[in-house]
Amino acid sequence: MAVDAKQLAAERAARLKAAVELKEPDRVPFTGIGGDVIAAYAGITSYEFNFDYEKQCQAIIKYVKDFPSDQPVIGMTGLGNHVASMAFSDYPDLYPIISRVDGPTNDILGVDYCRFPGRELDENSSPQFIGREYMSAEEYDELIADPVKFCFEKILPRIVRAFRDMKAPEAHAAMARLALEKAKAGAAMRDMFRQLQELGYAPGGLSVFFAPLDFIGDQLRDIPNLIKDLRRYPDKVKAATEAVLEPLLKVSVNAKGPGVETAMIPLHLNEYLSPALYNEFYWPTLKEGILRLAELGMKSQVFFEGRHDAHLETILELPAGWGTAYFEKTDVRKAKKLLQGHTCIMGGIDVGMVISSTPAKLDEYIKEILGEMMPGGGFILAPNIGNLPRETPIENIRAVYEAVEKYGKY
Amino acid sequence: MVSPEAKKLAEERAARMQAALDLKEPDRVPFTGLGGDVIPAYAGITSYEYEFDFEKNRQAAVKWFTDFPSDSAPRVGLGGLDNQSMGVAFQDYPEIVSGVNSVNGPMNDVLKMKFVRFPGRELDENSARQFIGGKNMEPEEYDQLIADPVKFCFEVIMPRISGGLKDLGSPASLATMARFGLEKARQDAEMAKTMQALMELGYYFAPRGVCLAPLDLISDQLRDIPNLILDLRRYPDKVKAAAEALVEPMVKMGTMSIKAGAKECFIPLHLNEYLSPKQYNEFYWPTLKEVILKLVEAGMKVQVFFEGWHDAHLETILELPAGWGTAYFEKTDVRKAKKLLQGHTCIMGGIDVSDIISLTPAQLDENIKKLFDEMAPGGGFIFSPNIGTCPRETPIENVRAVYEAVEKYGKY
Amino acid sequence: MREELLRSFVDMDEQEAVRIARELVETEGGAVAVLDTCKEAMEEVGRLFEAGEYFLSELIAAGDMFNQIMEFTLPKLQGEEVASLGTMVLGTVQGDVHNIGKDIFKVMAEASGINVIDIGIDVPHEKFVEAIKEHKPELVGMCCLITLGVDSMKRTIEVIKEAGLRDDIKIIIGGGRVSQAVMEHVGADAWADDAARGVRLSKELLGKE
Ligand code: B12
């Protein structure tokens, strides 16, 4: 890495760190905006982006070169394979192999909830997660008794075609082929990371954690069923959230690469729940998870998807400086009023505007947001949703980056 | 970068081997070279280092193949031990077969095979790796083997022979397979580097298939030799049916490398010297012959390593179509074989490794001169040690004498 | 009955040979008769092997039959004087784990009247020395199937020399990797790569033939 690239990387990291520590950096840290538009910008299909490692890496490098930011949301393709991560939570070395399903690995595994462009979907679609009910209500006791064993023995065979019969040659071969495939991807990735370093980005990444109730809702019961379960089997649901907490934390530790200090926690059920339900079923184990992650040396970055307004105050139950609250629909200005000096706030760019507005209006919009959010520090500028569609006008993207450049100085 | 000179050298070497295979006279007698444990000794490293550390293994190989040039595609990389029953178990997954068929040191750290030992692990760091063998199947199980050999090898045998896979379908066994995949990927990348280094020295590489005589698979990997010998008398029909059931899997093992460009399949024989001609012709040869014919039909040449004394069965080779491939002999006198097989079979072998260890340079020079006088005329001969492995203690002046004699007397 | 036993044994009729032996062993002096007959049969099998009529498969089957029969015969011989031609310490040398050839040779040597102390496979040099000290054999047999075993034999013999035991014993080497050149190289007294010849030479070294 060239000296100036190294220095650039250090500056970027310091900028983000200052914000998380609730201070004012030299400039407002900006994650950049990306997603499907990265493939479009490089002139390749989403199918190519999801199945051809080399093209994917080239596209990312091209995009990051033209649109530099402090922590580019490089398009990690694919979908999480969280049940597998839990089922193999006793095997930390396998986390990189089993934790995500991308195009080629899905060809090997056949994951029930995954749809990929160029396969089940049109070649320019985004990969899709379409969950179903993989666990029946009668199985709560089994889940509670031993979540890891239950996920391995009962759920994985239902979710992954190659694991239908765990004892069969197909299942064993799939594990080996998965590793061989990931190694292939790894070679391309290493090359990409090297180039990213040349461009002034430090290697790193994020660990992950899930609110225990989300794990049950997204991965096992399916959300509509879980909502009913909250009334029909409240005790079992509660016991289940407590049972999955430990293995979920284990997965977070497995996912923590060298130098990683942050765990990403995307929330799903939060906006479905009344404060009463949130406080009874959702928040206690999520809160405990965040506190435990802190003990394990990780700050949390919670992505409060949807509207979190009804539960905003609960964040104050966490110790000041616990981490970052990343908002989707909740107004970051409103959040700032409540959380300033306690929680780093992230978000601010409405992706809908980036798609549909004009460069001039975006310039104005960014100026305004930064004007309100920057003072006092503790703010990271980010799109409210990670994914810009292929059709996003490039001049709008450029306008956002230029505005950040213009108005982002402290 | 492979220089034009290196490329030309490689082509000459390949052409020399090919001419012999085609039963013609090349420009020189093709020589496979000597190898084995003497390679790490010559480089001053332990056998443990050579069998576990790709970087050191590569350096040792480069040193050896620079100082002692030879004609065949060099056998480099970490040394492995036969594990064909597991190859059969995974025969529907070629990318896995090439990694389980033969197990080297680091791979054994993953698979934990019961019947192998490696230097620096179970053995002293300068020992040679060992395949201990043993009985992994009961006579009552012949019917299962006959009914579905692939299923049998997977479900019954594999859990018995691999510590990592002893509980099929458990997280541990699936994790073993994932780790196997990671290790295989690592090794493939390392091998590519080693091959590149040797190609820069003027060597070429040609993938080749490997399989066993059906009856050898049963005796080496499943029943153990002494048990199988008794089975021949106690359960002759079952043994025969089992060998027949293994023809298809063996052909599949041999031909699956064609996709990767293989033109030759290697078959080392073990039981041949144990059997009387009657037994050989009843239990061993029919299925071996069928395998060879099917490989030839698929467009491959076959190299059969007739281990031990094959004298009693020599004539059966003539039942194969002329030009089928190479007969590599261990103890059978190549001169005697030539009389019978000239114009029909390429003959390989010629020098006893025990002689390379125990004779003097002058005696070796003399022996090779005489050998070439008799064997070179008419072509179809590849000069090779009768066994692949020269031990660490092989005197280097004797090694040098062999290479010099080949240089001196090998010209046609 | 001895004739029938001999014939069925040499003809490799396992069931018949074992059946007759079981019957014979129960008769007066039967155990000795069974032993002698089986030894005679083994010798005949060895002859057929050397003549190229029998193969290793027959040697293994004969060895197995011999062992099966001895299992019920030897206990009946307790107290009987069984003549021994001498004692041999036998092992596969360090680094080598092949045992089939050694085991074949062992049965045939035992059948010929040699008392064989089998010290196993992959035998370290010192273990040979210890066994020689303990059993005071006239003969030491080393088996070697792989090329690295050649050096193992050489060193084992050196160690035996250093222990001052070389002059008390004769050394015969066997197995796939041995030859006249190897014998001279390692400093042994005889070599054989087939069991029948090996037994013959062993007897010669014992001065019994
Ligand atoms: C069967 C076999 C095995 C079996 C052994 C089963 C067992 N429990 O013994 C298994 C599969 C386990 C095996 C393992 C290995 N083997 Co292996 N094996 C053979 C094979 C095919 C036959 C050996 C045999 O049993 N012959 C039949 C017996 C009866 O013959 P014999 O030992 O010579 O015995 C006769 C006489 O010599 C005599 N005799 C025997 N002992 C004695 C002792 C005395 C004192 C006397 C007087 C006479 C005597 O009586 C016997 C009957 O006539 C040979 C090839 C060959 N034909 O030599 C390779 C061979 C010996 N193995 C070889 C190798 C490399 C190995 C392995 C390393 C694994 C591998 N890569 O295949 C391992 C372990 C090596 C080690 N460190 O020991 C190589 C050796 C190469 C070398 N370095 O020299 C050979 C030569 C194959 C080859 N051509 O490459 N092997």
Side-chain angles (χ1 to χ4, degrees), chain B residues 130-131 225 270 273-274 307-308, chain C residues 95 97-99 145-147 175-176 195:
Chain B
Q130 299 179 348
F131 177 87
I225 294 175
H270 279 170
E273 83 164 335
Y274 286 85
E307 296 190 20
Chain C
V97 299
H98 294 81
N99 68 343
L145 269 281
I146 62 176
T147 49

Side-chain angles (χ1 to χ4, degrees), chain A residues 93 152 166-167 172 177 179 183, chain B residues 95 154 169 172-173 177-179 185:
Chain A
D93 58 322
F152 182 87
M166 291 284 205
K167 286 184 157 47
H172 287 79
R177 296 171 67 206
Chain B
E95 69 270 52
F154 186 89
S173 80
M177 289 310 295
R179 288 174 181 157

Side-chain angles (χ1 to χ4, degrees), chain A residues 264-325:
Chain A
M264 169 78 169
I265 313 179
L267 308 191
H268 283 166
L269 273 172
N270 53 330
E271 91 168 327
Y272 288 81
L273 304 178
S274 68
L277 289 176
Y278 184 84
N279 290 326
E280 185 174 355
F281 293 98
Y282 195 88
W283 178 235
T285 46
L286 168 59
K287 178 173 154 188
E288 197 182 336
I290 294 170
L291 296 174
R292 289 283 305 283
L293 286 169
E295 283 170 27
L296 293 167
M298 282 180 269
K299 296 227 182 207
S300 294
Q301 183 185 100
V302 181
F303 187 22
F304 295 99
E305 294 188 26
R307 294 204 174 284
H308 197 68
D309 301 51
H311 318 304
L312 219 45
E313 306 234 334
T314 56
I315 296 174
L316 290 169
E317 294 171 28
L318 297 168
W322 65 275
T324 304

